[in-house]
């Protein structure tokens, strides 16, 4: 689980999170706002879900709780933002959603802060 959660989370941070935070004004201008919360709020939520959440998952700290905002963003991407797109576009949020659901249901594993604190998955 350590290997899987670290690789999935590093991919999320590297591919989606860093470009959002490094080009924040561009992110605000182009990030979808499917629920009308405002461009900046949507951008901040996406950044938190693409950087902060995966960092907690890597550490195995509050893993299941940290996955909830990640799943919110990836599932909204799949079902709302990219609903009319081809499967070639929709597969990215779907694959991240499935990967994080897998971690959510199995837990962070033995090599995590959660395990050290709670002595379980």
């Amino acid at each position: 689980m350590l290997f899987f959660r670290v690789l999935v989370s590093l991919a999320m941070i590297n591919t989606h999170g860093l470009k959002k935070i490094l080009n924040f004004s561009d992110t605000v201008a182009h990030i979808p706002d499917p629920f009308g919360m405002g461009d900046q709020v949507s951008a901040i939520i996406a950044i938190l879900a693409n950087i902060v959440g995966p960092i907690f998952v890597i550490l195995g700290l509050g893993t299941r709780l940290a996955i909830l905002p990640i799943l919110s963003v990836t599932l909204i991407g799949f079902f709302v933002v990219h609903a009319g797109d081809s499967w070639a576009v929709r597969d990215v949020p779907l694959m991240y959603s499935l990967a994080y659901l897998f971690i959510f249901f199995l837990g962070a594993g033995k090599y995590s802060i959660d395990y050290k604190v709670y002595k379980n998955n």
Side-chain angles (χ1 to χ4, degrees):
M1 282 306 296
L2 171 67
F3 184 71
F4 184 73
R5 74 173 200 268
V6 168
L7 288 181
V8 168
S9 296
L10 286 176
M12 174 69 83
I13 292 167
N14 186 51
T15 307
H16 299 282
L18 288 179
K19 74 178 182 181
K20 284 180 177 77
I21 201 163
L22 293 175
N23 300 309
F24 185 74
S25 59
D26 189 47
T27 299
V28 171
H30 294 98
I31 196 98
D33 182 23
F35 298 111
M37 295 183 295
D39 295 337
Q40 282 195 329
V41 172
S42 293
I44 290 168
I45 290 170
I47 289 168
L48 290 173
N50 291 174
I51 294 178
V52 177
I55 289 171
F56 277 86
V57 173
I58 288 169
L59 295 172
L61 177 60
T63 306
R64 288 184 170 119
L65 186 61
I67 287 174
L68 294 177
I70 299 169
L71 282 174
S72 297
V73 169
T74 58
L75 291 171
I76 288 169
F78 180 76
F79 286 111
V80 178
V81 175
H82 297 292
D85 293 341
S86 70
W87 277 99
V89 174
R90 295 178 76 199
D91 77 331
V92 173
L94 176 63
M95 290 298 120
Y96 276 113
S97 297
L98 293 174
Y100 280 109
L101 278 169
F102 181 73
I103 298 167
F104 182 84
F105 286 114
L106 291 182
K110 186 175 180 180
Y111 301 103
S112 66
I113 295 172
D114 288 345
Y115 184 85
K116 300 296 181 206
V117 171
Y118 302 111
K119 300 290 185 218
N120 63 20
N121 293 347

